[in-house]
Amino acid sequence: MSKITILSEINNKKPFIEDLPKINHKEFDKVIKSRRSVRVFTNDIIPKDIIKKSLDNSLKAPTSSNLQTWEIYWIKSKNIKKKVVEACLSQPAAKTAKELFVFVSRPDHWKRNNQMMLDYLNEKKNPSVSVLKYYNKITKLAYNQGFMNIFGFLKKLYVSFVGLYRVIPREPTSFNDMKVWSQKTTALACQNFMLSMRAYGFDTCPMEGFDSFRLKRILKLPNKAQICMVIGAGKRDPNGVYGKQFRFDNKLFIKEV
Ligand SMILES: Cc1cc2nc3c(=O)[nH]c(=O)nc-3n(C[C@H](O)[C@H](O)[C@H](O)COP(=O)(O)O)c2cc1C
């Protein structure tokens, strides 16, 4: 397996400078602090442009290898919405939501997206050789698990042995690892979406209390697709938040080592 120099080398051959806007951190803190899981929404509509902007913002989340193995289903049909609410165990957060979104991980889309990335790079005048190599070789080695996971298994043996002597990326070596890989990316899109909605004055509730089998059937998704979260959104009802936000002591979770 070739050494992944693209990850260890600093690229100063073609610097790309992006303007950094001034940010009011107090406004950001307000968004973070006021985001709550809202279980009851009012009947107020969410303007379409706010939804579109928030969906757009969700897809600005970081994504592993920039392979974007996510999908978002904005449930517009009344009939499908009714079925999705049922699949969400008729939770109030789904039942009263003005809009429902299903965030889906698509680990099975990595190959398609990898090819789209190569097409995009090859259309450029001077594509970076190391980036091309990354999508031509590294991602294919990393994310291919082969027929019946045989290639994944061989990779696992290889990394276990070579890893005794040098630093080596170890996962993914199975479709289960691929699910975790893709879910991480999709969960970040969920968080961007929820924060964006809050910033525009609306609220959300993430849900994993659902029947994934039925939900996949309703959305005509294949077996390999994974539902990450269903997110209900709308205007917060005064009774929509069930209590003060509670977290255990930070010291339990933040380790300075
Ligand atoms: C992955 C995930 C799944 C969740 N599933 C549900 C759910 O099915 N129903 C629900 O009412 N809340 C659900 N929640 C919301 C949590 O209960 C909530 O985030 C937690 O109690 C903390 O409250 P806060 O979001 O208001 O800070 C979920 C949250 C996450 C991150």
Side-chain angles (χ1 to χ4, degrees), residues 10-223:
I10 293 176
N11 170 21
N12 44 20
K13 283 178 220 143
K14 278 196 227 165
F16 174 73
I17 316 286
E18 211 167 39
D19 281 343
L20 276 177
K22 270 215 160 95
I23 293 171
N24 182 344
H25 64 88
K26 286 188 181 150
E27 290 302 307
F28 179 71
D29 287 349
K30 273 201 260 176
V31 171
I32 295 281
K33 246 183 133 174
S34 62
R35 185 220 53 82
R36 295 300 313 280
S37 292
V38 170
R39 274 60 180 240
V40 189
F41 298 97
T42 66
N43 213 17
D44 296 87
I45 60 153
I46 313 174
K48 289 254 176 325
D49 56 329
I50 291 181
I51 297 176
K52 284 189 178 151
K53 181 74 191 146
S54 296
L55 289 171
D56 209 46
N57 283 342
S58 70
L59 299 181
K60 298 276 189 303
T63 141
S64 181
S65 293
N66 203 5
L67 282 180
Q68 306 164 50
T69 54
W70 48 30
E71 274 176 348
I72 309 169
Y73 290 78
W74 177 6
I75 311 297
K76 288 185 160 174
S77 138
K78 270 194 180 150
N79 183 33
I80 297 179
K81 190 174 179 198
K82 191 171 161 273
K83 290 181 187 166
V84 172
V85 169
E86 272 166 24
C88 289
L89 320 171
S90 300
Q91 296 191 52
K95 220 165 33 186
T96 67
K98 203 66 197 158
E99 303 283 349
L100 275 175
F101 304 86
V102 185
F103 282 69
V104 181
S105 308
R106 296 303 303 257
D108 53 325
H109 276 176
W110 81 264
K111 234 180 229 175
R112 180 199 74 177
N113 297 4
N114 195 75
Q115 188 53 50
M116 291 194 319
M117 189 60 86
L118 281 168
D119 294 344
Y120 161 75
L121 291 168
N122 283 318
E123 271 171 23
K124 283 180 154 196
K125 256 195 194 151
N126 291 311
S128 149
V129 174
S130 55
V131 176
L132 270 176
K133 184 181 164 201
Y134 186 74
Y135 289 103
N136 264 319
K137 293 209 168 119
I138 314 288
T139 52
K140 289 179 181 174
L141 274 174
Y143 305 127
N144 232 328
Q145 310 307 333
F147 178 65
M148 303 266 286
N149 204 53
I150 291 170
F151 185 55
F153 179 70
L154 293 174
K155 280 196 296 182
K156 200 174 177 81
L157 290 179
Y158 177 87
V159 296
S160 308
F161 179 71
V162 176
L164 291 172
Y165 306 100
R166 70 167 169 90
V167 173
I168 190 164
R170 288 166 193 263
E171 291 89 17
T173 57
S174 66
F175 189 68
N176 271 344
D177 288 351
M178 290 297 286
K179 287 189 207 167
V180 174
W181 170 75
S182 181
Q183 289 273 23
K184 287 183 207 175
T185 278
T186 314
L188 292 172
C190 292
Q191 180 70 341
N192 265 22
F193 180 75
M194 293 188 279
L195 293 180
S196 178
M197 278 299 205
R198 184 80 285 279
Y200 282 100
F202 290 87
D203 280 287
T204 53
C205 185
M207 284 170 271
E208 61 178 349
F210 51 70
D211 179 330
S212 60
F213 177 81
R214 285 195 164 76
L215 210 40
K216 279 191 208 176
R217 222 168 40 183
I218 295 162
L219 299 177
K220 300 188 172 68
L221 288 166
N223 224 357

